[in-house]
Amino acid sequence: MAKQIAYSFFKECTSLHNAKLLHQQTIISGSCKDRAIDIISMYLSCECPSYALTVLEHLQPSPSLVYWWNALIKRNVHLGLYNDSLNLFYRMTALGWTADHYTYPFVLKACAEIPDTRRGRIVHAVICNYGFESNVFVCNSLVAMYARCGALVDGRKMFDEMCQRGVTDKVSWNSIVAAYMQSRDSDEALILFMRMTRNVKLLPDVVSLVNILPAFASSGSWEHGRQVHGLAVRNGLFDDVFVGNAILNMYAKCKMMDQAKKVFDVMEDKDVVTWNGMVTAYSQSGSFKDALLLVEKMKEKRIEMDVVTWSAVIAGYAQRGHGCEALDVFRQMQISGSVPNVVTLVSLLSGCATAGALLQGKETHCYSMKRILKREGVDREEDKMVNNTLIDMYAKCQDVSSARCIFDSLTFIERNVVTWTAMIGGYAQHGDAKDSMKLFSEMMRGSSTPNAFTISCVLMACSRLSALRSGKEIHAYALRNRYENSMLRVANCLIDMYSKCGDVDAARNVFDNMKQRNDVSWISLMTGYGMHGRGEDALEYFDGMLKEGFVPDGLTFVVVLYACSHSGMVDQAIDYFNNMTKDFGVIPQVEHYACMVDVLGRAGRLNEAVELINRMPMEPSQIVWVALLSACKTHTNVELGELASKKLLEMDSENDGSYTLLSNIYADAGCWNDVARIRSLMKKSGIRKRPGYSCVQGKKGNTTFFVGDRSHPQSEQIYKVLADLILRIKELGYIPKTSYALHDVADEEKNDLLSEHSEKLALAYGILTSYLGAPIRIIKNLRICGDCHSAITFISKIVDHEIIVRDPSRFHHFKKGSCSCKGAGGLVQNASSSDGEVTTISDGYWRSDSCGNGAFLENDKAVLLVAAEGSSWPITVPIHELQAIEIGLELARAGKTFWVGLSLFMNQIRGSLGSSTAKPVYEAHRCGLLLLQPKQRNAVLAAAQECAYPGLSSFSSSSRHLISQPSHSYGHEATFHVLKCSSILSIYGVCLTYSNPLFPYSR
């Protein structure tokens, strides 16, 4: 009875003070050893393990008392005091105690949680020494320990030894499957699961199914997942909420939302994890409305939304670019009292980045510093995740300096590949691309290895800088390191890089060698062809894209129309625009209308462009009016230019380019008072015109020049080379286009201003420093002016270099006196009736209308061209007026029907006629090929009198029978005179039919 009373005292004792009194009484009474177990239990009940340990250490080792050592070790493991657990184990063995099979699982768990493979191996050796290597519980713990410590090879070796000894059970198989799942080797996990169920014939339990279902989700093997679903239903495991949640998650990650919804609906027992899983599934699959409806149902059913639910909703908004909505949800979360975790903050920062909400991003940064960053007990990986997202947020909000401050505050150990990529990408997209390249070089010198995203970001920087050499080096690095899993992304960036660096053929080679392509691959190459003026190639690949089964979207048609615009393919552009809805179900948006305005504007069809704007079903945006304004500048249309400018001002446009374009239109028209007014308005509005500059790639990097720049050490040589070039091309017929010197000064001073344009200086430097035959690459921040375009076209005739100029609009490839833009950068742009297609003819350009009529332009000068009906182009090489007349006469003699257009330059006509060429002019006159205005007629007569050629005394009598068309101003100096005639030529007896290349009509 006394013993029972004493036992009840020990059991009911809950305070340390009373426990010490009872312990004192047992010592006084001499019953301490008999009551040792009760005393240890009492101290543990009072949460005083140190006193219990003291008593235990004074006892003789006994197998029956090992339980209390196990209790102390287990207690520390549950409290997360893993090192204390191991110290207890060491103390136990040092005192001569022998651990049993219950001790080792707790000790091994402590090693796994630290994790500490070294101490785990020591414990493994002790286990083998004491003969526990065949105990299934101990062996299962060893497998789990090795897996948690990242030593999966050792864990697998342990499991295989267990299989050989035949000591495995269901827990063993679950442990090894879980180990492979933790190491993200789902394929091997599936193989082991199949062995377990088919070879070993073990029936899976709840843990087995919860372990393996994520493997089906990650591999997308929904067929096998459905089989496991059926197995769970047949064996009554589906009712377990953990299994149900795992099956729901599997279907969701396999993008089978209908099946996931069915599982959700039939689950009788749902917990908050079930609801969160469904909300997250809807959010990630794009069914965000369904996710929000489910959240409302949670509120109706009074299911408390936890941090996972809130985070899923915030992430859903952020991923769709709805940053403001994400911020609103976060405020609701704070009001509800739910505490954000790392995932919440990362999602919120992503939302701030997409919305450009810098202020809210800074607030979130402050919150992160208080609650997450560098706090005790917080995983350092979580710190990295938050810091990386902060760098990304600041960069995307265009505060690159703050992003760099965070980056610099991190040590090399604290930076991972995501950190480097975020900063490199920030510079590449929103900062100085040169800094992006420098940072990549710094990364390569360190211990971090770039991934496919890093390569993509640095290729973007190469694109911005047109750094072809660096781009090729990075391409080589990507090939050596073979980013197989992400090669599609890298290849798409390579296509973009090569295209923007001026080597679209290399871009095509990358495309042709791709094993797999997506719509981005096709669109990137088509864009490249478009910006290089190779519209036919772009449309060819568009047809190829359709044949491959890709369905074009709105972006695809923006690229198609862009390519047509930069290649003068007006009819094709109109056809695609009119049929994109009927053939492909794509409704034209404002971007498509802007492209069409650009297409029509470049072709000089400004009235049609205005009519299209008036017919737009939506309000025209700034890009539409900018396109029209640019066309007005090209064709010097002051009235429409003022209209477009007025619309832009009404939209509060602060783009300096709009003001500059209008100012240039006024300057072209000689309205200098209006030029002064626009410049004054810009000054009052605080809008500053961007200074134009050109950057040329040299042997040791890029060199930048501004207008009239004399800061370069080789400035004297550069200007000397440029002066020599200008002198030489003037001998070839180059005439400075003083209309592009937008200042009210004398013509001589305008010539000096034109010669100091930055692109000319960059070209002179490139010629001075480049190897013979090497291409010269120039990047210009503003569009190339017409005079520089004309001058570089002439220069390309006399230098052995291909000259590649990239401006914000397109690429210009100058070679042997021609440009890839086919005149779109020179005189043709200034023609008020250039409403047709442009095709290259040898060293010149043929511009034709929809009827096939045309005019030939050589080096931006209009010259005569004769074309025979039914003949293919080119009929002639670049020719001059008199040569064309001779060819026309030969065609007449051969019985061909032909047409002819003629241009004669007012200030050069006297020098065009000499004794050797007077006869064909006379014969052309007699055949009715020439129709001249009075001033031109007088000039020809004067030239004829000088060379004393008879028969050229009068033109009027022989030209009366001709049906004359009105003369048409083409450019600044050339005047075309085209006529229609149905008369029979008496001297050759050939019927001639004429048509007008500038005013088409039916024949």
Side-chain angles (χ1 to χ4, degrees):
M1 185 68 179
K3 288 183 178 181
Q4 290 179 353
I5 294 171
Y7 177 73
S8 66
F9 281 138
F10 285 110
K11 188 176 181 181
E12 294 172 4
C13 182
T14 57
S15 69
L16 179 60
H17 177 72
N18 292 335
K20 285 181 177 181
L21 290 176
L22 285 173
H23 190 184
Q24 184 182 19
Q25 290 297 323
T26 58
I27 293 172
I28 293 170
S29 64
S31 59
C32 184
K33 290 185 179 180
D34 297 333
R35 294 290 183 183
I37 294 175
D38 295 332
I39 295 170
I40 293 170
S41 177
M42 174 185 66
Y43 277 128
L44 287 175
S45 299
C46 295
E47 295 295 326
C48 300
S50 58
Y51 290 97
L53 178 60
T54 301
V55 175
L56 191 58
E57 288 176 337
H58 286 84
L59 298 178
Q60 289 296 319
S62 168
S64 61
L65 298 177
V66 172
Y67 168 83
W68 298 106
W69 283 100
N70 293 344
L72 288 170
I73 294 171
K74 177 182 177 182
R75 179 183 179 277
N76 284 341
V77 170
H78 287 169
L79 293 174
L81 306 173
Y82 305 118
N83 284 309
D84 291 344
S85 298
L86 293 176
N87 290 335
L88 277 174
F89 174 70
Y90 298 148
R91 181 64 175 163
M92 172 187 177
T93 55
L95 291 173
W97 293 75
T98 302
D100 61 14
H101 61 283
Y102 293 109
T103 313
Y104 292 111
F106 296 122
V107 175
L108 291 169
K109 183 175 176 60
C111 293
E113 294 296 335
I114 291 176
D116 193 332
T117 311
R118 184 184 64 83
R119 285 194 277 185
R121 289 196 173 103
I122 293 171
V123 175
H124 188 179
V126 174
I127 289 170
C128 294
N129 187 49
Y130 284 95
F132 287 101
E133 68 272 16
S134 296
N135 185 287
V136 67
F137 302 110
V138 175
C139 289
N140 289 343
S141 300
L142 278 167
V143 172
M145 181 273 295
Y146 281 123
R148 290 295 300 275
C149 290
L152 185 56
V153 175
D154 293 326
R156 180 59 184 268
K157 186 177 180 182
M158 184 69 219
F159 176 78
D160 291 341
E161 290 175 0
M162 291 171 64
C163 292
Q164 291 173 5
R165 291 195 294 267
V167 294
T168 58
D169 61 2
K170 196 177 293 184
V171 176
S172 312
W173 288 93
N174 289 345
S175 297
I176 192 64
V177 170
Y180 276 103
M181 288 302 299
Q182 288 166 8
S183 66
R184 299 182 180 179
D185 189 352
S186 57
D187 293 337
E188 188 63 27
L190 286 170
I191 292 171
L192 288 168
F193 181 78
M194 296 301 179
R195 278 180 57 190
M196 169 187 166
T197 54
R198 295 177 182 176
N199 300 350
V200 185
K201 305 296 184 184
L202 282 174
L203 191 64
D205 59 7
V206 169
V207 177
S208 307
L209 299 186
V210 172
N211 277 341
I212 199 60
L213 281 166
F216 299 125
S218 61
S219 63
S221 305
W222 62 268
E223 299 95 340
H224 293 107
R226 189 164 59 179
Q227 292 175 11
V228 173
H229 183 186
L231 178 69
V233 173
R234 289 194 301 272
N235 291 278
L237 300 176
F238 180 74
D239 293 335
D240 186 278
V241 68
F242 295 104
V243 175
N245 290 342
I247 293 172
L248 187 154
N249 183 64
M250 181 273 296
Y251 281 125
K253 289 190 175 176
C254 290
K255 298 181 180 179
M256 300 183 66
M257 290 306 300
D258 291 338
Q259 295 296 328
K261 181 66 166 57
K262 288 178 181 178
V263 171
F264 179 81
D265 291 337
V266 300
M267 285 179 67
E268 295 181 2
D269 185 16
K270 299 185 183 77
D271 60 7
V272 68
V273 176
T274 315
W275 289 89
N276 288 343
M278 202 63 206
V279 170
T280 304
Y282 275 134
S283 178
Q284 293 178 346
S285 67
S287 304
F288 197 53
K289 290 182 179 179
D290 293 324
L292 295 178
L293 288 173
L294 209 58
V295 170
E296 292 301 319
K297 284 185 180 180
M298 289 179 70
K299 293 178 180 178
E300 291 173 7
K301 293 180 177 291
R302 296 185 178 179
I303 298 171
E304 185 177 353
M305 293 172 61
D306 62 7
V307 64
V308 178
T309 320
W310 290 109
S311 299
V313 177
I314 292 171
Y317 275 125
Q319 288 165 5
R320 281 151 192 80
H322 303 309
C324 297
E325 289 83 352
L327 290 165
D328 290 338
V329 174
F330 180 70
R331 294 187 187 98
Q332 295 176 31
M333 178 182 180
Q334 289 180 304
I335 294 170
S336 72
S338 185
V339 179
N341 61 12
V342 171
V343 176
T344 317
L345 294 178
V346 167
S347 300
L348 183 63
L349 287 168
S350 298
C352 294
T354 55
L358 181 59
L359 179 60
Q360 289 79 2
K362 288 181 177 180
E363 292 173 355
T364 309
H365 185 183
C366 293
Y367 185 90
S368 302
M369 293 178 68
K370 294 176 183 176
R371 299 296 181 93
I372 301 292
L373 295 174
K374 296 185 178 180
R375 291 191 64 194
E376 290 296 328
V378 175
D379 188 358
R380 294 290 77 111
E381 289 301 319
E382 292 185 354
D383 271 11
K384 286 182 182 179
M385 191 186 303
V386 174
N387 281 318
N388 293 343
T389 313
L390 281 168
I391 292 171
D392 181 68
M393 181 275 296
Y394 277 116
K396 288 180 178 175
C397 290
Q398 301 188 28
D399 188 357
V400 184
S401 58
S402 295
R404 186 58 190 260
C405 286
I406 297 173
F407 179 85
D408 290 338
S409 69
L410 305 175
T411 64
F412 275 92
I413 297 174
E414 291 174 322
R415 298 173 190 169
N416 58 15
V417 64
V418 180
T419 317
W420 288 96
T421 303
M423 195 65 244
I424 291 170
Y427 277 128
Q429 289 180 295
H430 305 290
D432 190 339
K434 293 179 183 177
D435 290 331
S436 180
M437 302 287 288
K438 290 178 184 175
L439 207 60
F440 179 73
S441 299
E442 186 180 338
M443 178 186 181
M444 294 294 289
R445 290 194 297 268
S447 57
S448 294
T449 303
N451 60 18
F453 293 97
T454 320
I455 298 298
S456 300
C457 289
V458 76
L459 284 172
M460 194 185 307
C462 293
S463 299
R464 283 187 59 190
L465 295 171
S466 283
L468 182 60
R469 184 183 303 170
S470 299
K472 287 181 176 179
E473 292 172 356
I474 295 164
H475 186 182
Y477 177 85
L479 291 174
R480 289 196 302 271
N481 290 274
R482 302 189 64 82
Y483 294 95
E484 295 294 345
N485 295 332
S486 304
M487 200 58 207
L488 178 61
R489 173 187 292 272
V490 174
N492 289 341
C493 290
L494 282 168
I495 293 171
D496 179 71
M497 181 275 294
Y498 278 118
S499 297
K500 291 180 179 176
C501 289
D503 195 348
V504 72
D505 291 324
R508 190 201 64 242
N509 288 336
V510 173
F511 179 88
D512 291 342
N513 288 300
M514 290 174 69
K515 295 178 181 178
Q516 179 187 1
R517 303 184 186 106
N518 60 9
D519 54 346
V520 176
S521 314
W522 292 91
I523 291 173
S524 297
L525 185 62
M526 288 158 56
T527 304
Y529 277 128
M531 70 174 64
H532 286 267
R534 293 168 62 172
E536 292 182 358
D537 291 322
L539 297 186
E540 179 184 340
Y541 275 87
F542 176 67
D543 292 337
M545 178 182 178
L546 297 179
K547 291 176 183 177
E548 289 290 327
F550 289 93
V551 179
D553 57 7
L555 177 60
T556 312
F557 279 101
V558 168
V559 172
V560 168
L561 296 175
Y562 168 84
C564 291
S565 173
H566 285 271
S567 303
M569 304 170 73
V570 182
D571 293 336
Q572 292 92 327
I574 293 173
D575 184 60
Y576 280 117
F577 182 78
N578 291 336
N579 295 315
M580 58 191 283
T581 303
K582 181 181 68 176
D583 295 343
F584 302 100
V586 178
I587 299 173
Q589 301 300 318
V590 66
E591 295 83 5
H592 303 100
Y593 281 96
C595 286
M596 283 307 301
V597 170
D598 187 55
V599 168
L600 296 170
R602 286 175 184 271
R605 296 157 69 165
L606 298 178
N607 291 332
E608 293 180 49
V610 174
E611 289 175 8
L612 180 66
I613 293 173
N614 293 334
R615 294 198 308 267
M616 285 177 64
M618 72 285 292
E619 194 68 25
S621 66
Q622 289 187 15
I623 58 172
V624 175
W625 294 113
V626 168
L628 180 63
L629 184 61
S630 179
C632 293
K633 164 62 180 75
T634 301
H635 303 292
T636 320
N637 191 314
V638 177
E639 182 182 355
L640 290 181
E642 288 177 336
L643 170 65
S645 179
K646 179 182 177 183
K647 294 292 184 180
L648 286 168
L649 291 175
E650 289 174 358
M651 295 178 180
D652 295 325
S653 172
E654 295 184 357
N655 183 6
D656 66 309
S658 304
Y659 288 91
T660 304
L661 281 171
L662 182 60
S663 174
N664 292 350
I665 291 171
Y666 284 134
D668 284 347
C671 305
W672 298 109
N673 291 333
D674 290 312
V675 172
R677 178 175 59 83
I678 294 298
R679 290 176 178 173
S680 175
L681 180 62
M682 289 177 67
K683 187 174 182 180
K684 290 178 181 178
S685 303
I687 299 172
R688 298 184 62 185
K689 181 182 180 296
R690 286 171 294 166
Y693 65 83
S694 297
C695 185
V696 60
Q697 297 177 15
K699 301 174 187 176
K700 299 180 180 179
N702 295 345
T703 305
T704 302
F705 292 91
F706 293 87
V707 177
D709 197 338
R710 296 182 182 271
S711 61
H712 195 276
Q714 294 177 276
S715 179
E716 185 176 345
Q717 293 172 275
I718 292 169
Y719 276 89
K720 185 176 180 181
V721 168
L722 182 57
D724 179 62
L725 289 170
I726 297 296
L727 187 63
R728 290 173 63 188
I729 63 176
K730 281 184 176 180
E731 294 174 358
L732 295 178
Y734 163 71
I735 300 173
K737 299 179 180 180
T738 55
S739 61
Y740 286 94
L742 304 174
H743 296 276
D744 189 12
V745 293
D747 284 349
E748 185 176 347
E749 191 173 346
K750 285 184 177 182
N751 289 342
D752 294 337
L753 291 172
L754 289 173
S755 66
E756 295 182 346
H757 278 194
S758 63
E759 49 265 60
K760 290 192 181 81
L761 297 175
L763 175 58
Y765 177 74
I767 294 171
L768 185 65
T769 58
S770 298
Y771 296 111
L772 188 65
I776 298 173
R777 303 178 187 275
I778 300 171
I779 312 162
K780 184 167 171 55
N781 70 324
L782 303 176
R783 287 185 65 173
I784 186 171
C785 85
D787 177 72
C788 289
H789 187 279
S790 175
I792 296 173
T793 304
F794 274 97
I795 290 171
S796 69
K797 262 190 169 185
I798 61 176
V799 297
D800 191 17
H801 297 278
E802 180 184 5
I803 304 165
I804 303 169
V805 179
R806 171 185 168 182
D807 67 17
S809 176
R810 61 173 301 143
F811 275 89
H812 299 265
H813 293 256
F814 299 92
K815 194 173 183 180
K816 296 181 180 179
S818 66
C819 176
S820 62
C821 74
K822 301 169 185 175
L827 181 60
V828 173
Q829 270 197 329
N830 297 324
S832 57
S833 63
S834 53
D835 42 349
E837 181 180 342
V838 180
T839 52
T840 303
I841 301 180
S842 186
D843 292 333
Y845 319 112
W846 172 254
R847 178 171 288 281
S848 67
D849 60 24
S850 58
C851 298
N853 305 313
F856 183 72
L857 295 110
E858 178 194 10
N859 300 327
D860 295 337
K861 280 188 177 181
V863 298
L864 187 68
L865 187 73
V866 179
E869 238 179 42
S871 300
S872 59
W873 293 102
I875 291 178
T876 67
V877 297
I879 53 176
H880 294 286
E881 294 90 333
L882 302 176
Q883 291 174 297
I885 294 171
E886 289 178 334
I887 293 171
L889 293 172
E890 289 176 7
L891 289 169
R893 294 187 189 103
K896 300 277 187 178
T897 300
F898 70 95
W899 62 264
V900 61
L902 173 67
S903 71
L904 290 174
F905 292 88
M906 296 296 295
N907 61 344
Q908 294 180 333
I909 192 166
R910 293 180 66 87
S912 299
L913 296 173
S915 58
S916 62
T917 55
K919 182 178 179 180
V921 173
Y922 172 63
E923 289 189 359
H925 157 63
R926 289 187 59 191
C927 296
L929 294 179
L930 284 180
L931 178 66
L932 303 179
Q933 290 179 340
K935 289 183 180 179
Q936 293 173 310
R937 186 183 305 120
N938 295 337
V940 172
L941 289 173
Q945 290 171 0
E946 287 179 7
C947 60
Y949 191 85
L952 284 178
S953 59
S954 173
F955 280 92
S956 57
S957 61
S958 61
S959 298
R960 287 175 183 170
H961 65 283
L962 301 177
I963 302 173
S964 172
Q965 297 296 323
S967 64
H968 185 80
S969 177
Y970 201 85
H972 296 288
E973 297 170 298
T975 301
F976 276 85
H977 303 278
V978 187
L979 46 101
K980 185 176 181 181
C981 177
S982 58
S983 62
I984 304 295
L985 299 184
S986 58
I987 59 173
Y988 295 119
V990 177
C991 177
L992 301 183
T993 302
Y994 299 86
S995 63
N996 192 331
L998 302 176
F999 301 93
Y1001 50 84
S1002 60
R1003 298 190 178 193

